[in-house]
Structures are given as C-alpha cells and as structure tokens.
Amino acid sequence: MRFLSLIALAMSLLLVPGHAWAQTNNAQSSSTISPAADDPAFASFQPVTQGIKPPRATSAPDPKFPNLPADAEPRGTVVMLIGVNTKGRVEPVRVLRSDQQAFETTAVATVKKWKFKPAQKDGRPVSVQITVEMKFQR
C-alpha cells in the first residue's frame, strides 16, 4: 500500500495542480483553473507553476483500509486538494472526488499526517496547493 501512496503522490505532483485536468502540456496555454478558487482556506496557497519547485514528501504513512459493508466495492479512489505550508505541513484538505465515504474519511485523516520538504520559489519556501490521489484495493 505504501508503494501505491507514493505513486499517487508522484502522479499528483506531475499533474501540476491548478491546471485543468484535460489540459495539454503546452507551455503557451494560459487556461489555468484553480480548483480551490472558491475556497478561502486555500487563499494563501498558490498552485505549483513554472518557477516553483514542488514539495517533496518526507513522511507519507499508508492509509488504513476502512471497514466496509459486506456488499461494498473493495476498491476506490479519493482525489484531494491539499495545502502544504512553508514548514511542510498539510493544512487545508478538500476532497475533489471520492468513490465511498469510508475511503474519503481514511484518506483525509492519513494525508493530514504527511510531512513534506516545502515547495520553493527562488530558493525560499512557499505555501502551495497540490492534488493527491489515493487508491484503495483489497
């Protein structure tokens, strides 16, 4: 499960949060969309853009698989927007998509425990927002 979490984190950092999901890698494009534009908790967390070195996880414990009803699908995905402050701590967390509430609860509780080497711009730490995807499978 640790391997899946690390893959999810790596994939999320490659998505460069703040850009539309279907956007191509064309550097000329200016169609940035902030998924947290309407959320004041993310007001001080900028999207990772060119010139910002993204945060790097230094501690990313695996989520615990939740107790599910017998008839529930034993796999799911939770996509979250998280704010990483200048000290590398996760502050706001917003669930963007979740297959099941049980996975959502576990994913949010887990990501709040993660620690990062902060993002940097011009050699100084900056607060950023990144997208994290956690996959669950039994």
Side-chain angles (χ1 to χ4, degrees):
M1 193 65 173
R2 179 176 230 13
F3 181 71
L4 290 177
S5 297
L6 295 176
I7 288 175
L9 178 62
M11 289 175 43
S12 70
L13 293 175
L14 292 175
L15 289 176
V16 184
H19 291 273
W21 287 94
Q23 180 180 351
T24 64
N25 288 332
N26 182 354
Q28 300 294 327
S29 177
S30 62
S31 62
T32 56
I33 298 171
S34 178
D38 60 341
D39 190 339
F42 285 91
S44 63
F45 295 87
Q46 60 186 318
V48 175
T49 56
Q50 191 170 11
I52 297 178
K53 184 178 177 182
R56 188 174 34 122
T58 58
S59 174
D62 291 335
K64 292 184 178 169
F65 198 89
N67 293 327
L68 298 174
D71 61 339
E73 178 67 29
R75 68 183 78 148
T77 302
V78 179
V79 179
M80 298 166 285
L81 182 68
I82 67 170
V84 179
N85 69 20
T86 58
K87 298 201 183 293
R89 305 274 184 198
V90 175
E91 286 190 352
V93 177
R94 178 177 176 191
V95 175
L96 301 175
R97 188 187 55 169
S98 175
D99 292 336
Q100 290 187 43
Q101 179 65 40
F103 292 136
E104 180 178 327
T105 302
T106 299
V108 169
T110 300
V111 81
K112 285 182 176 182
K113 296 175 186 172
W114 287 9
K115 293 179 181 51
F116 292 84
K117 179 178 180 190
Q120 292 194 353
K121 181 175 184 178
D122 301 325
R124 304 184 88 155
V126 292
S127 296
V128 295
Q129 51 185 267
I130 59 172
T131 305
V132 175
E133 181 180 69
M134 278 191 198
K135 293 185 182 257
F136 294 84
Q137 183 172 344
R138 197 159 266 201

